[in-house]
Amino acid sequence: MAIREIIKLPDKRLRLVSEPVKKIDAGIRALIDDMFETMYAAPGIGLAGIQVGVDKRVVVMDLSKKDDTQKRQVFINPEVTWASDEKSTHEEGCLSIPEYYEEVERPAEVKIKYLDLDGKSREIAAEGLFATCIQHEIDHINGVLFIDHISKLKRDRVIKKFTKAAKTAAKKVEA
Ligand code: NI
């Protein structure tokens, strides 16, 4: 297991549409182990493959509270099969857009179809934090970020801030 680097805004790879996983082989299992280690170290509650630079449709999640035992969830090739008309608003953040939080409105409940680690097709209903998080992560594998759901004014402002920070960091490396 290893902690991988989390790519950050404005890295263009965050806009890639990830490829479906065709076979759950040793490489995919190693990727998932690394994604959990990376997510716990960050710390975060969800992570998509592309956030460690791998454009595969893989999502890991652990919504357990800090002091609880780990509750690892893996979603391979997840897709939303149903979304409620009812919406709910939660404050969201993202490990690829650190220290930025904004309220996002999404369907309050969704149903998700995915493959588990054994390649078995499963379906699950999600509400509350789980619904928010799984929609956020499925967005990632489609090249969508939570800032795409906020006003253009706020989005432009955060992109500008991160672009400027990336340029400053690049200059420091050159010096
Ligand atoms: Ni995110």
Side-chain angles (χ1 to χ4, degrees), residues 46 51 93-96 136-137 140 145-146:
Q51 292 183 273
C94 181
L95 294 174
S96 294
H136 177 121
E137 301 308 331
H140 270 303
L145 298 170
F146 85 91

Side-chain angles (χ1 to χ4, degrees), residues 15 29-30 41-42 44 50 70 84 98 104 113 119 130-131 148 150 155 165-166 169:
R15 294 309 190 175
R29 287 170 192 276
I50 194 59
Q70 288 184 357
S84 64
V104 177
K113 197 179 145 195
F130 182 26
D148 298 339
I150 64 177
R155 179 167 61 251

Side-chain angles (χ1 to χ4, degrees), residues 75-133:
F75 303 91
I76 298 165
N77 300 339
E79 53 184 297
V80 175
T81 55
W82 175 84
S84 64
D85 291 332
E86 190 200 334
K87 306 272 196 262
S88 68
T89 303
H90 289 276
E91 188 177 66
E92 293 186 29
C94 181
L95 294 174
S96 294
I97 313 172
E99 285 161 45
Y100 182 77
Y101 305 91
E102 199 58 64
E103 301 257 295
V104 177
E105 188 189 78
R106 299 182 185 271
E109 290 176 53
V110 288
K111 280 186 182 143
I112 308 295
K113 197 179 145 195
Y114 65 100
L115 298 178
D116 67 15
L117 261 176
D118 299 317
K120 198 176 160 195
S121 182
R122 291 183 178 272
E123 218 166 346
I124 194 169
E127 58 176 8
L129 178 62
F130 182 26
T132 295
C133 195

Side-chain angles (χ1 to χ4, degrees), residues 4 7 12-22 28 31 35 48-59 77 140-143:
R4 302 200 189 187
I7 63 173
K12 287 191 170 64
R13 288 173 291 174
L14 289 169
R15 294 309 190 175
L16 290 174
V17 175
S18 294
E19 297 285 335
V21 173
K22 290 199 184 87
I28 292 294
L31 168 69
M35 284 170 66
I50 194 59
Q51 292 183 273
V52 292
V54 180
D55 59 342
K56 297 276 186 217
R57 301 180 82 83
V58 174
V59 166
N77 300 339
H140 270 303
I141 60 176
N142 290 322

